[in-house]
Structure formats: structure tokens, C-alpha cells
């Protein structure tokens, strides 16, 4: 038999947990907004997109903005990146991601970030997607006008989509054990080079695809190094962009041709 006092205590605990979750959600949404509006170099980003078709910025969520402060904001961002990585691993472990069959031998999984009932699966990732897609496009549009980049298409903050991509080395090695020679099954260092391409696909795909800006945020662990692979190579200038933790990469979805480099090495990256 449950007493009234026990029921009241349980109800209070649930209400308190809900309030804390709502506060954390608001804090995360606000953190991303402040990063976009207060510390992100919007002028440099607009110029990079106009001149090269891409822009790279490190420490988007966790870089210390004020060296003289205690950098609580940076600590919060670092914890947010960690939570986003943990959410990704949890989704994979609970079969909430789909195998990328277009790269069957590469051990990669994908999932769409759609919110709604799926919000509970990845709250921090969802909040990041919602906030950056709401606040970054208007600032870029304004900066395009300032620098006179009239050929750059205006961005619509209401038209956006988010996806998650995760690499699992055990899956990759398991696939290689079927596809490769026995002596190669214990190593993932032998991979085929991927082709260059734009986010929207070929020219026909570009005409029928309204995406014009892609924002990639790397959630690599702190143990990641270049031997773990990943990252991008730009076709126009050959620039290699490594998959450094909390690195934000902006790409023109319709014109910037790049190649995604395969992940390698240990499970720690």
C-alpha cells in the first residue's frame, strides 16, 4: 500500500526532474545562439564561403571566449559536446541508427534528427540543430549584403534538416572479415578512395535540391588524432580538413566539391 506522503514525494521528484530537463534544454539552445551571435566570426565565414565555398572554425561550442574569466561558458560547451557524442553512441547501441549501405564496408551509420517523439533520443543534438539553423542563416544573409556577395543564395532559416553520422570500427572490421582476405580482416587501414562531390549531388540534383549551406560539427572524442582518419578534402584547393573535436565546417551545398575521408584506427577516436 502506498501512502499519500510517498505519492506526493514521487510526484515532486518527477516534477523537479522535468523542470531541470527544461532548464537544461533552454540553456543549451541559448548557448548555441550566443556562440553564433557573440563569438562566431561571421564576416570571415561569409568571405570564406564567397571566395572558397567553405569555412572552418575550431571550438565552436567550447572555445574559451574570454581568457580572463573562469570560462564557465566554455566548460558548458565542452560538456555539451560530450553529451552529444554520448547520445550518438547510445543511439547506435539501441539500434536507433541505420547502416549506410552506400558505404557498406566503411562501418558508418546514419540517422535523421527530427525532434518530436525522437527528441528524447538525442536532446542535446536536437537543440544544437534547432538553434544553429535558426540563428546562423539570418546573420550570414546580412553579412552577404555587407560584403557584396550577391551571387550567394539567401538562406531560409525555416527550411532546414539535420542528420547524424557515426563510425563503428567493430562493424567495419566485421564486414571486412566477409569481404576481404583473411589477412586483411583484422585491419581497416586498406580502404578505397571516395569520389569528390557536392552535398546536393550532381547537376540535376542541385537544380531539384533547395539546400544551399551545410554545417558539419565534429563530435570526435578527445583521444582522436589524425591516425583515426575522418575529415574532408576539398577538391578546388586540395585543403585537408581533419575531424577535430568541436570543429565546425560550413560548405556551400550546391557548389563546394569535397571528399569525405574514411575513418581508420582505434575505437577511441
Amino acid at each position: 500500500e502506498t501512502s499519500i506522503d510517498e505519492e506526493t514525494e514521487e510526484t515532486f521528484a518527477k516534477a523537479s526532474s522535468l523542470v531541470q530537463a527544461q532548464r537544461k534544454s533552454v540553456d543549451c539552445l541559448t548557448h548555441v545562439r550566443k556562440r553564433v551571435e557573440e563569438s562566431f566570426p561571421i564576416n570571415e565565414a561569409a568571405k570564406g564561403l564567397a571566395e572558397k565555398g567553405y569555412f572552418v572554425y575550431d571550438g565552436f561550442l567550447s572555445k574559451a571566449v574570454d581568457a580572463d574569466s573562469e570560462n564557465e561558458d566554455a566548460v558548458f560547451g565542452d560538456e555539451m559536446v560530450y553529451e552529444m557524442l554520448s547520445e550518438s553512441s547510445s543511439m547506435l547501441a539501441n539500434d536507433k541508427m541505420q547502416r549506410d549501405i552506400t558505404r557498406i564496408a566503411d562501418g558508418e551509420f546514419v540517422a535523421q534528427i527530427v525532434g518530436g517523439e525522437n527528441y528524447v533520443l538525442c536532446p542535446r543534438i536536437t537543440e544544437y540543430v534547432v538553434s544553429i539553423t535558426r540563428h546562423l542563416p539570418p546573420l550570414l544573409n546580412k553579412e552577404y549584403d555587407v560584403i557584396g556577395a550577391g551571387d550567394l543564395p539567401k538562406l531560409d532559416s525555416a527550411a532546414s534538416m539535420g542528420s547524424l553520422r557515426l563510425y563503428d570500427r567493430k562493424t567495419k572490421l566485421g564486414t571486412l572479415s566477409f569481404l576481404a582476405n583473411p589477412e586483411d580482416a583484422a585491419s581497416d587501414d586498406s580502404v578505397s578512395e571516395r569520389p569528390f562531390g557536392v552535398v546536393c549531388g550532381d547537376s540535376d540534383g542541385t537544380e531539384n535540391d533547395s539546400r544551399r549551406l551545410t554545417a558539419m560539427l565534429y563530435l570526435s572524442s578527445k583521444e582522436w588524432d589524425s591516425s583515426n582518419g575522418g575529415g574532408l578534402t576539398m577538391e578546388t584547393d586540395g585543403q585537408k580538413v581533419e575531424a577535430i573535436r568541436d570543429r565546425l565546417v560550413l560548405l556551400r551545398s550546391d557548389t563546394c566539391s569535397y571528399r569525405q575521408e574514411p575513418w581508420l584506427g582505434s575505437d577511441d577516436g
Side-chain angles (χ1 to χ4, degrees):
E1 183 176 341
T2 303
S3 68
I4 295 178
D5 287 342
E6 290 175 339
E7 291 179 353
T8 302
E9 184 177 343
E10 181 180 355
T11 301
F12 178 80
K14 290 181 178 179
S16 178
S17 177
L18 179 60
V19 170
Q20 290 179 0
Q22 290 175 334
R23 287 177 177 172
K24 184 61 178 289
S25 176
V26 171
D27 288 344
C28 289
L29 290 166
T30 302
H31 180 77
V32 177
R33 176 186 61 79
K34 289 175 61 179
R35 285 280 159 163
V36 171
E37 296 178 348
E38 300 177 8
S39 61
F40 185 70
I42 195 70
N43 179 264
E44 294 178 26
K47 289 181 178 179
L49 290 168
E51 297 170 1
K52 301 185 299 181
Y54 69 92
F55 178 72
V56 181
Y57 180 70
D58 290 340
F60 174 64
L61 294 175
S62 62
K63 178 184 291 185
V65 178
D66 185 355
D68 296 327
S69 70
E70 296 181 359
N71 293 314
E72 293 182 5
D73 190 63
V75 172
F76 182 92
D78 186 72
E79 293 175 349
M80 186 174 175
V81 174
Y82 175 79
E83 289 184 53
M84 293 166 74
L85 177 59
S86 297
E87 290 172 356
S88 305
S89 300
S90 177
M91 288 179 66
L92 177 64
N94 290 285
D95 297 323
K96 300 300 182 181
M97 301 187 72
Q98 294 76 46
R99 185 78 174 270
D100 185 354
I101 59 175
T102 65
R103 301 172 180 172
I104 193 66
D106 292 344
E108 294 185 13
F109 293 77
V110 294
Q112 296 300 311
I113 308 303
V114 295
E117 294 180 354
N118 291 326
Y119 168 79
V120 67
L121 299 175
C122 51
R124 302 293 85 85
I125 295 175
T126 303
E127 289 148 6
Y128 160 77
V129 171
V130 168
S131 196
I132 194 171
T133 54
R134 178 180 180 182
H135 299 291
L136 183 59
L139 292 181
L140 280 174
N141 287 337
K142 182 179 180 180
E143 202 63 33
Y144 290 164
D145 292 335
V146 171
I147 65 175
D151 61 323
L152 290 178
K154 290 300 177 69
L155 306 172
D156 182 358
S157 60
S160 62
M161 60 183 293
S163 63
L164 175 67
R165 179 174 292 273
L166 185 70
Y167 164 68
D168 182 61
R169 185 170 183 260
K170 292 180 180 178
T171 298
K172 181 175 183 177
L173 294 181
T175 303
L176 289 176
S177 68
F178 289 101
L179 302 178
N181 296 324
E183 59 267 23
D184 297 328
S187 173
D188 58 355
D189 293 334
S190 178
V191 293
S192 59
E193 191 173 87
R194 297 174 179 177
F196 286 98
V198 299
V199 172
C200 293
D202 55 26
S203 58
D204 292 333
T206 300
E207 293 177 359
N208 300 314
D209 195 323
S210 61
R211 289 177 295 176
R212 292 297 176 263
L213 180 70
T214 297
M216 297 183 183
L217 181 69
Y218 285 102
L219 303 176
S220 310
S221 72
K222 292 184 177 180
E223 287 74 31
W224 180 92
D225 62 37
S226 57
S227 67
N228 297 130
L232 311 171
T233 298
M234 303 302 176
E235 184 174 22
T236 54
D237 57 9
Q239 179 69 38
K240 294 186 180 298
V241 181
E242 295 188 330
I244 295 173
R245 184 179 188 270
D246 198 20
R247 167 172 279 179
L248 179 67
V249 182
L250 301 182
L251 304 167
R252 287 192 60 180
S253 308
D254 54 336
T255 62
C256 183
S257 181
Y258 69 96
R259 178 176 66 213
Q260 287 190 334
E261 301 298 343
W263 297 91
L264 306 168
S266 71
D267 298 313
D268 296 332

